[in-house]
Amino acid sequence: ALALGAWAWGLSFGGVWQFWLEPLYVLVPDSWWENGDSTAYVVAYNLHYLVWTGLLVGIAAVAGDWRGALRRLRTGPPADSRASAADLGRWQQLRDGGAEEAAERLTSELRAGSLTDLDYVRIDHAWQAVRARPTELPAFTEAVRRNGPGAFTHPSGARDLAARTAQHDLLTQQVLIGEAVDDDRNPYARRATGVALDPTVLGTSLLAVGPPGSGKTGRVVRPVTETLCLQALAGRAAVVALGGAFAALGPDDAFDVVVRVGDPSGGHRLDLYGGIEDTDEAASLLAEVLTAGTRADAGEAAAALAQLVGPYRAAYGRLPDVPELRALLDGAPGLLTTLGEDLEHAGAWDQLRELTARTRQSERPNDVGVLLADRLAVLDRCGFSAAPGDAAARRVRPFSLAAALEHPLRIRVDLPATGHAEASRIITRLLLAQFTAAATTRGDRSLFACLVVDDATAAFTAATVRGLTHLRPANAGAVLALRTLDEVPERLRAGLLGAVGCRMALSGITTWDGEHFARAWGKEWTEDRDVSSSPDRHGGALRRGARGVRKLFTGRAATTETVTVRRVERERWSASELAHRLPPRHAVMSLTTVAGESGPPVLVRLGS
């Protein structure tokens, strides 16, 4: 706008025809300048010069929004962690609802700069609960009047994370993960726009596939974990992050509970059953996890476990832990005899029959109990549970997902260190199965529950893939990162891509991985243009002679081009394009909301 204004000003005064003087000549009498410029003419000329210059400057200022630019230069950029002054109008809800004192206190804190965006969202969330239960209005007003921005803080007392590595919009619960590339393969409306994730899309679950170094952890998993931790501090979400000891999912102070498998000094250890109390359900879940990747029948394994878990529960009032269950499956005579005697004393004759049947079946050479005991031995060696004689370690309370998802908790689970790869796979399957079971059976689904898995290698079974489809109506979701789809059993790959609503293929994936995504994203109608050339034989003798002369000098015959336009159906992204045309730190992703609205696959440059 400044350049165009300067050009217009120079054209006005430097041109041969100074058109800007025409209005002056119309208004001023000719006698003022015919016999020389009079004083009145000089004054009128200068005034007209100033008016014309001011008009050009005004047009340029309006076109270039100079006022807004000067205002931003004076005030500087707003701090990310401060609530915007434009949000003052939101407190009008409090005034209209009768919380005048609370609104005044919060307004003063906002103007003083002590109210952060997380404070604003947390208090606004508490106010929504008051609107649902008006009897809580006096308590709400008193809490805000007494504590100001510190009202309704998270049970941990934290009002923010120590550091944020991504850009967050807490009002819309979004985290920015990248920008849609200005590329012909992207829909025109999506080009050069930000790409963000929020519970409305995470509720359909996200599957991200890419090799190490493609940006899964740093540009997808870590930002999502961070935004869910912020939402938990606002009382709107519960998050469980699962990864290796060096996965960099966030510092310890960013979580309320940190479970380090194999390290009881951390104060928490995992519950083998995830808080499930029903013995048949617990046996079925555990059997599905332990038999994955083997030829054993999950139904037979569930029946064998139920024949031990049920009697143990009837005799001692709790479910057996890993060492105890392993010993029972190994057929330890002393333990089985003691358990049978205790069942007799308790009068649990039905469970005693189950135990007797299990003892009889364990004598078969192909009994599934041997396999189950070997799988539990893998968990036992990595220190999953406390040893029966370790009284200090057994005082550590088992951590249960079923109870944790009822509260806005931030949970991180660190898998065992190097050397326990098989145990890590079993634990990943176990937590995924426990999460889907706990999230779908919650009594209170007001909190958005999300499981974030940094490495979902060998985590999927037929039951967990089915469970992913049940998370959407339960206000829950999962973020699952994989190095390659080869880590998923072949019979489950199509079902897994269909169970998740959000799919992400990162740069560096293989062609056979790209084939699965290409089929999942389907085809679209497009226009195919075919151009064909043929010798030009039109016209009479004169035109043919001219074409002959032209061929004589150029050596090429004259041709005509024919353009044929057809509508054909082609893949949105082919396997070859996904494998070979994605630049580093880029991904093709499609999103689907919990309401069923789906978008096309978009090429995204990762990084906020």
Side-chain angles (χ1 to χ4, degrees):
L2 177 63
L4 290 176
W7 174 77
W9 184 85
L11 183 64
S12 300
F13 302 118
V16 177
W17 174 45
Q18 296 187 349
F19 56 88
W20 66 281
L21 289 174
E22 295 300 327
L24 178 65
Y25 293 151
V26 173
L27 298 175
V28 173
D30 295 344
S31 60
W32 286 13
W33 54 272
E34 284 182 343
N35 298 321
D37 295 344
S38 62
T39 303
Y41 176 78
V42 172
V43 173
Y45 177 90
N46 288 324
L47 288 176
H48 185 68
Y49 176 88
L50 293 174
V51 170
W52 181 257
T53 302
L55 178 63
L56 292 178
V57 172
I59 294 175
V62 172
D65 192 20
W66 294 0
R67 178 182 298 178
L70 291 174
R71 183 169 59 250
R72 286 193 294 272
L73 288 175
R74 290 193 188 101
T75 60
D80 291 339
S81 62
R82 303 296 180 187
S84 171
D87 295 333
L88 279 170
R90 292 290 297 274
W91 300 127
Q92 188 62 38
Q93 297 181 10
L94 273 65
R95 294 186 173 89
D96 295 341
E100 184 70 27
E101 291 185 42
E104 291 298 331
R105 174 67 189 276
L106 293 174
T107 301
S108 63
E109 296 288 350
L110 176 60
R111 289 171 177 166
S114 59
L115 187 75
T116 66
D117 56 349
L118 187 56
D119 294 331
Y120 184 92
V121 172
R122 187 183 66 251
I123 296 174
D124 184 69
H125 178 68
W127 173 248
Q128 302 308 319
V130 172
R131 294 184 61 183
R133 298 181 62 185
T135 56
E136 300 294 328
L137 178 60
F140 173 87
T141 304
E142 177 60 24
V144 174
R145 187 188 62 79
R146 184 174 62 254
N147 300 316
F152 310 107
T153 55
H154 189 262
S156 65
R159 289 176 54 190
D160 206 343
L161 298 179
R164 301 187 187 183
T165 60
Q167 296 184 26
H168 304 271
D169 185 346
L170 299 184
L171 286 176
T172 59
Q173 306 184 53
Q174 292 183 336
V175 57
L176 184 67
I177 64 167
E179 180 184 26
V181 178
D182 189 0
D183 187 270
D184 292 341
R185 289 168 292 183
N186 283 345
Y188 182 78
R190 299 285 197 276
R191 297 175 191 173
T193 60
V195 177
L197 300 176
D198 62 14
T200 61
V201 295
L202 295 179
T204 62
S205 297
L206 167 67
L207 177 68
V209 180
S214 58
K216 297 190 304 296
T217 300
R219 289 171 168 79
V220 180
V221 174
R222 174 67 184 270
V224 169
T225 304
E226 190 173 273
T227 191
L228 291 172
C229 287
L230 289 171
Q231 295 301 326
L233 291 178
R236 301 197 291 192
V239 56
V240 181
L242 173 64
F246 305 101
L249 298 180
D252 290 354
D253 58 7
F255 297 91
D256 304 309
V257 176
V258 178
V259 182
R260 295 182 175 89
V261 179
D263 183 13
S265 62
H268 299 277
R269 61 186 179 92
L270 288 177
D271 183 359
L272 182 62
Y273 308 97
I276 298 176
E277 296 295 334
D278 183 78
T279 55
D280 290 333
E281 182 181 357
S284 177
L285 183 147
L286 192 56
E288 187 79 21
V289 170
L290 295 178
T291 58
T294 68
R295 296 182 179 180
D297 181 70
E300 182 183 354
L305 288 172
Q307 289 173 338
L308 294 175
V309 172
Y312 195 96
R313 172 70 178 275
Y316 306 116
R318 63 179 181 87
L319 300 177
D321 216 333
V322 171
E324 300 153 344
L325 184 58
R326 176 189 176 187
L328 290 172
L329 288 168
D330 280 334
L335 185 59
L336 290 173
T337 302
T338 303
L339 179 57
E341 293 174 353
D342 292 338
L343 288 173
E344 291 180 0
H345 292 312
W349 306 110
D350 55 338
Q351 296 297 334
L352 182 59
R353 286 193 297 272
E354 294 288 338
L355 181 62
T356 303
R358 172 90 287 269
T359 304
R360 184 173 58 254
Q361 293 171 4
S362 64
E363 298 175 355
R364 297 183 303 178
N366 59 345
D367 180 51
V368 72
V370 178
L371 172 65
L372 296 175
D374 291 341
R375 306 292 275 181
L376 286 174
V378 174
L379 292 180
D380 203 9
R381 284 194 293 270
C382 77
F384 181 87
S385 299
D390 191 352
R394 289 189 64 82
R395 283 197 295 267
V396 179
R397 186 176 61 178
F399 174 74
S400 169
L401 273 183
L405 298 184
E406 299 282 350
H407 308 282
L409 289 177
R410 303 166 295 165
I411 305 157
R412 194 188 76 202
V413 179
D414 293 343
L415 294 173
T418 306
H420 299 284
E422 184 60 28
S424 297
R425 297 188 187 100
I426 295 176
I427 293 171
T428 303
R429 285 197 297 270
L430 182 65
L431 281 178
L432 182 55
Q434 289 180 357
F435 178 83
T436 55
T440 54
T441 57
R442 287 184 300 169
D444 182 8
R445 297 182 176 181
S446 59
L447 292 176
F448 176 71
C450 188
L451 173 68
V452 182
V453 183
D454 180 59
D455 183 6
T457 302
F460 302 101
T461 65
T464 54
V465 170
R466 289 193 301 269
L468 289 175
T469 61
H470 300 155
L471 294 178
R472 184 186 303 189
N475 193 24
V479 178
L480 308 166
L482 278 173
R483 291 190 294 265
T484 173
L485 285 172
D486 287 342
E487 296 169 346
V488 181
E490 185 176 0
R491 60 187 177 86
L492 299 179
R493 292 171 193 169
L496 175 61
L497 286 171
V500 298
C502 305
R503 310 176 187 96
M504 176 182 291
L506 290 92
S507 59
I509 66 171
T510 60
T511 306
W512 40 93
D513 279 348
E515 290 177 354
H516 292 287
F517 281 100
R519 287 198 297 268
W521 284 324
K523 299 180 180 181
E524 63 179 349
W525 288 100
T526 183
E527 290 187 351
D528 189 13
R529 298 171 62 89
D530 292 334
V531 180
S532 59
S533 299
S534 60
D536 188 2
R537 296 188 176 90
H538 297 86
L542 181 61
R543 293 190 62 182
R544 288 195 297 270
R547 288 196 293 269
V549 173
R550 177 182 176 183
K551 181 178 180 181
L552 180 65
F553 283 96
T554 62
R556 291 179 297 179
T559 59
T560 59
E561 291 187 346
T562 303
V563 180
T564 304
V565 180
R566 298 177 302 168
R567 285 183 58 82
V568 296
E569 195 176 20
R570 297 195 176 189
E571 292 178 329
R572 298 175 184 268
W573 280 85
S574 68
S576 179
E577 287 178 325
L578 292 172
H580 304 296
R581 294 190 61 183
L582 295 189
R585 299 294 188 269
H586 284 64
V588 177
M589 66 179 303
S590 63
L591 301 177
T592 302
T593 67
V594 292
E597 181 183 359
S598 60
V602 177
L603 178 61
V604 179
R605 182 187 300 108
L606 298 177
S608 58

